[in-house]
Amino acid sequence: MQNVLYLSLEARAQFKRLLPLLDKPLSKLEKRDQQLFKLRLERYFQNLYDGLEPLYGLRSDFEAVLERLLLLMAKHFCERPEDLKELDMERDLTPDWFQRETMIGYVFYVERFANTLEGISDHLDYIEELGAKYLHLMYCLKPRQGENDGGYAIEDYRDIDPRLGTIADLEEVCRSLRRRGISVCIDLVLNHCAKEHSWALKAKAGDKKYQDYFHTFPNRALPDEYERTLPEVFPDFAPGNFSYYPEMKRWVWTTFNEYQWDLNWSNPDVFLEIVDILFFLANKGVEIFRLDAVAFMWKRLGTDSQNQPEVHDILQALRACSRITAPATAHKAEAIVSPDDLIHYFGTGKRYGKVSNIAYHNSLMVQYWSAMASRDTRLMTHTLSKFPATPSSIAWATYIRCHDDIGWAVTEEDAAAVGLNGFAHRAFLSDYYSSKFPGSHAKGAVFQYNPFTGDKRISGSFASLAGLELALERGDRRLIDLSIERILLGFALIAGFGGIPLIYMGDEIGLLNDYDFDKYLDTSADNRWLHRPYMDWEKASLRHKPGTVEQRLFQGVVNIMRAREQTPHFHSHYETVIVDSTQPAVFAYLREHPLGKLLALYNFSEHPQLLDADFLRQFELKVFDQLQRQPLDISSGVLGLEPYQRLWLV
Ligand code: GLC
């Protein structure tokens, strides 16, 4: 081992101190495996050290924390199954595995898609028809009973919701999908756990050690101080950020619901617990961890306690742990924050490329809905062209719908830059998508109206928000056609932006809002269940029946995904450069690949658009459309785009 020379003096001293401690725990492994672990440790030790030192470096037990961490990692490495170790080696050699153009994601609630984990095997043909290589199983780990924020209030990270199966089932699902080249993604909620988690129960019972796992306060003095600058996530059904527990006579930090207790990451025991859980699950075969609500993980008085630099340190340290112990895994940050904040989740400056592998492209999603409502892509072009450059080793998760609401993340500055008033535009979007705006095609509902900020987030399924529900109600064929094209434009956008397109269950067959959601006690308060319907397998079976809405959508999605797989320009390694299409309704960007350029064009209006051939000529393209797999004729001097047409020109 020679890289040690590249470690900083402090890191090198720690590394040299720690290395001999590993001999014993690793001794049960073959020499080659021992060597591999040590090599990876050496390679990523600086990242690990640089993540941990700012968090815990001033503590007197810092060295002991490092020791405990390394022993924990060594233990899990020893327990790691052989086939996963082979996958680790494969991915050491192909670190771009999740960036490839063949990567396509499918996201579903296990219960709503397949009833149980075991049930997933009955639907593999469906998953493979879509070409999914990445399955996000929502939710898996055992949540509290009753209301649980859609599975985001975990009672036991080492167990599965008994209604869905067991840990052995998860292991089996991961194994059988892995054999088919499909990676399993699950949620790991990092910001909070359920108040029924054993840590919280012990804290409530007065155990000081476990009270330190949370942010607790004897009175309102500090909570009131914090509240001055804290926003509210659920102002409607869970106002305030703190909850009182008479049994321990303390206030607890609860950013989301009262039953979700924020974890105290300034306590290294919390970090070690999560590492232990992460590798427990990685060794069961989970390949992608969706790290939930990461923006909130570090608290700082006088701030909104979101996106604090320490969050990026924690994530960098966790990432380094995975690269050493289970390199086959990838980390996806769920940070639904502004572009300037978001970029840090990939790592900037000294953390460049070291923080997470994948992050949600929230802005692309918001801008899709904004441009669809206004038939104008200038805000989209402006906002996305200002996006900071990303490291070439990462991938966006691109999506149009997910299980959450849509918040109108449009800043005043961006709106003003294209002649809009931010407040008015956000209000317009809320009205448009809650069917209050005259002539709107959308059917949706307001989620969490905040009277102080005027924010009205939106719930609703892709199809209902895109006009299919209204069109079907009216039995209007033209409106049905238009809504199908709107939806397919969305799929083409996420498939062609350079990231992992995430297909949210049911959108591929146009499932509408589920108005029955409020019949069930556990879901009635939260209208996000409007767009979390049960899979309708009868409708799904129509995907092969020509002329049905389901078939037009499903086949449309499949065609887009097949075209994506055959277009190397969509490998996430390459940047997306937004260009001004010269037509307000047409969104355009370029992806430059060593094989040549790709120009993507999307008509966000129900009216045909004309682009001057000179605009296209500047890109020196042969004008072959990868989506339809046909050459285009621009000899007339213009290129016409049909309503909602999309083109991937190479
Ligand atoms: C994430 C989840 C969301 C949940 C929140 C709190 O944002 O996507 O559904 O409400 O975390 O756990």
Side-chain angles (χ1 to χ4, degrees):
M1 281 186 245
Q2 287 143 20
N3 295 331
V4 68
L5 292 177
Y6 297 104
L7 295 175
S8 68
L9 283 181
E10 300 79 12
R12 196 190 307 177
Q14 290 299 337
F15 181 77
K16 287 194 164 162
R17 184 179 70 82
L18 292 161
L19 202 60
L21 302 180
L22 295 173
D23 288 341
K24 188 148 168 263
L26 293 177
S27 62
K28 22 184 163 339
L29 296 178
E30 289 190 15
K31 266 261 149 336
R32 186 52 64 87
D33 273 358
Q34 297 185 23
Q35 221 174 357
L36 203 55
F37 183 80
K38 290 181 180 175
L39 275 171
R40 287 182 182 137
L41 178 67
E42 186 175 324
R43 168 67 183 81
Y44 296 110
F45 191 76
Q46 189 73 52
N47 294 9
L48 181 62
Y49 185 83
D50 289 346
L52 292 174
E53 200 277 332
L55 303 170
Y56 313 123
L58 292 178
R59 295 174 59 104
S60 56
D61 62 352
F62 182 50
E63 294 202 339
V65 168
L66 289 177
E67 274 171 45
R68 286 165 64 199
L69 175 61
L70 256 55
L71 293 178
L72 197 58
M73 285 159 47
K75 165 182 162 285
H76 285 288
F77 183 69
C78 291
E79 289 167 1
R80 193 149 168 83
E82 269 319 300
D83 58 336
L84 288 172
K85 280 196 198 152
E86 274 165 30
L87 193 64
D88 287 339
M89 286 196 276
E90 191 183 316
R91 289 192 177 158
D92 274 342
L93 296 173
T94 54
D96 70 334
W97 62 278
F98 60 90
Q99 293 185 293
R100 295 184 176 170
E101 60 277 16
T102 47
M103 200 60 167
I104 290 161
Y106 191 57
V107 182
F108 55 78
Y109 278 93
V110 174
E111 183 233 350
R112 298 188 163 224
F113 180 73
N115 236 341
T116 62
L117 282 169
E118 227 186 348
I120 294 175
S121 60
D122 297 338
H123 301 295
L124 291 178
D125 52 338
Y126 190 84
I127 292 164
E128 291 196 323
E129 265 179 75
L130 285 168
K133 297 275 178 304
Y134 158 139
L135 281 196
H136 178 182
L137 312 184
M138 290 176 57
Y139 55 88
C140 268
L141 307 184
K142 189 178 174 198
R144 73 191 291 265
Q145 291 200 345
E147 265 187 54
N148 57 31
D149 191 24
Y152 289 95
I154 303 298
E155 185 181 307
D156 188 347
Y157 291 91
R158 287 192 180 76
D159 204 355
I160 298 293
D161 186 330
R163 289 167 296 194
L164 303 177
T166 62
I167 280 287
D169 293 338
L170 176 68
E171 199 168 8
E172 183 47 39
V173 169
C174 291
R175 190 179 306 120
S176 75
L177 290 169
R178 187 159 69 244
R179 286 202 191 110
R180 291 166 188 257
I182 301 174
S183 302
V184 166
C185 167
I186 71 166
D187 290 278
L188 193 58
V189 188
L190 294 190
N191 179 64
H192 46 264
C193 64
K195 69 174 179 183
E196 288 78 7
H197 191 288
S198 63
W199 303 330
L201 294 179
K202 288 183 209 159
K204 249 194 261 175
D207 189 330
K208 181 76 185 68
K209 170 175 153 85
Y210 287 96
Q211 286 187 354
D212 279 351
Y213 276 40
F214 302 96
H215 301 272
T216 74
F217 309 88
N219 54 44
R220 280 296 306 187
L222 265 176
D224 283 344
E225 269 305 301
Y226 277 112
E227 282 288 15
R228 290 151 88 98
T229 49
L230 288 178
E232 302 211 62
V233 181
F234 295 146
D236 180 357
F237 54 60
N241 287 282
F242 301 87
S243 309
Y244 187 67
Y245 294 87
E247 55 273 55
M248 66 172 178
K249 297 200 182 64
R250 293 184 83 84
W251 290 86
V252 178
W253 197 310
T254 54
T255 300
F256 294 86
N257 291 288
E258 173 275 320
Y259 52 76
Q260 291 161 299
W261 285 21
D262 288 37
L263 289 163
N264 173 15
W265 283 86
S266 68
N267 177 355
D269 285 344
V270 168
F271 184 89
L272 292 167
E273 293 272 15
I274 295 291
V275 168
D276 201 11
I277 289 164
L278 183 84
F279 294 127
F280 169 80
L281 294 166
N283 282 355
K284 301 294 170 211
V286 174
E287 295 177 35
I288 301 165
F289 289 95
R290 175 189 180 278
L291 305 178
D292 182 73
V294 288
F296 302 87
M297 285 161 70
W298 197 271
K299 323 294 186 192
R300 177 162 282 120
L301 206 60
T303 72
D304 61 0
S305 292
Q306 288 185 38
N307 310 304
Q308 297 298 310
E310 287 84 352
V311 169
H312 313 122
D313 291 327
I314 298 169
L315 295 178
Q316 172 172 323
L318 285 176
R319 182 70 206 124
C321 290
S322 286
R323 299 194 82 167
I324 296 161
T325 316
T329 55
H331 293 191
K332 175 167 74 160
E334 193 253 346
I336 308 303
V337 299
S338 75
D340 289 341
D341 288 323
L342 185 54
I343 195 69
H344 300 298
Y345 291 87
F346 288 137
T348 50
K350 62 183 187 320
R351 302 191 196 90
Y352 190 75
K354 297 175 187 164
V355 176
S356 333
N357 309 93
I358 307 167
Y360 284 95
H361 204 316
N362 177 51
S363 266
L364 182 69
M365 182 275 287
V366 167
Q367 293 301 330
Y368 164 85
W369 291 110
S370 165
M372 270 299 168
S374 58
R375 280 78 164 167
D376 190 328
T377 66
R378 280 175 291 191
L379 179 62
M380 183 174 202
T381 299
H382 171 78
T383 309
L384 297 180
S385 62
K386 276 180 34 211
F387 243 74
T390 51
S392 59
S393 56
I394 60 87
W396 288 113
T398 52
Y399 65 113
I400 298 292
R401 284 306 285 122
C402 69
H403 68 289
D404 279 328
D405 51 286
I406 308 172
W408 302 118
V410 172
T411 65
E412 305 305 328
E413 299 76 42
D414 287 344
V418 295
L420 295 171
N421 172 298
F423 184 84
H425 187 62
R426 290 192 299 271
F428 157 68
L429 293 173
S430 296
D431 285 351
Y432 195 91
Y433 287 108
S434 56
S435 336
K436 296 210 176 57
F437 192 84
S440 163
H441 55 248
K443 289 202 114 182
V446 169
F447 176 71
Q448 303 292 320
Y449 170 51
N450 186 333
F452 296 106
T453 59
D455 281 347
K456 287 180 182 167
R457 284 136 70 185
I458 290 291
S459 287
S461 79
F462 193 165
S464 291
L465 294 177
L468 184 61
E469 188 175 328
L470 196 73
L472 290 170
E473 259 170 36
R474 296 202 180 146
D476 185 325
R477 292 181 69 131
R478 187 177 153 270
L479 293 184
I480 294 174
D481 291 350
L482 288 178
S483 61
I484 289 177
E485 294 308 318
R486 272 188 211 109
I487 296 171
L488 293 179
L489 184 151
F491 278 113
L493 181 66
I494 59 173
F497 200 73
I500 307 170
L502 300 184
I503 304 170
Y504 180 61
M505 188 207 85
D507 291 346
E508 71 282 8
I509 51 167
L511 288 191
L512 306 176
N513 289 340
D514 176 8
Y515 294 103
D516 283 342
F517 81 89
D518 57 1
K519 297 211 174 85
Y520 308 98
L521 211 59
D522 293 352
T523 57
S524 61
D526 185 342
N527 73 15
R528 288 177 297 175
W529 290 96
L530 200 56
H531 53 262
R532 299 169 182 175
Y534 282 91
M535 186 55 165
D536 185 334
W537 287 108
E538 218 163 289
K539 275 194 172 196
S541 68
L542 295 176
R543 72 188 186 278
H544 296 136
K545 189 163 178 219
T548 58
V549 168
E550 291 76 12
Q551 185 262 350
R552 291 170 65 192
L553 280 173
F554 191 90
Q555 265 321 309
V557 173
V558 167
N559 292 343
I560 290 166
M561 297 305 159
R562 289 305 80 78
R564 166 184 160 87
E565 287 165 348
Q566 290 164 40
T567 310
H569 305 71
F570 295 138
H571 190 295
S572 291
H573 176 86
Y574 305 96
E575 280 279 326
T576 297
V577 182
I578 311 293
V579 288
D580 176 1
S581 77
T582 70
Q583 290 299 330
V586 180
F587 178 58
Y589 59 82
L590 203 62
R591 288 189 62 82
E592 288 204 46
H593 187 275
L595 290 177
K597 295 177 181 132
L598 179 144
L599 177 72
L601 297 169
Y602 302 85
N603 176 7
F604 273 79
S605 113
E606 61 270 68
H607 302 294
Q609 304 292 321
L610 293 178
L611 291 181
D612 198 300
D614 282 344
F615 163 74
L616 293 175
R617 282 199 196 101
Q618 61 175 312
F619 303 110
E620 296 162 0
L621 301 160
K622 284 207 199 91
V623 205
F624 181 89
D625 177 20
Q626 277 289 103
L627 262 174
Q628 297 302 326
R629 311 220 138 258
Q630 61 186 19
L632 294 184
D633 182 12
I634 52 167
S635 54
S636 65
V638 288
L639 172 67
L641 280 115
E642 295 298 315
Y644 300 119
Q645 193 180 352
R646 46 275 158 195
L647 294 169
W648 291 345
L649 302 179
V650 292

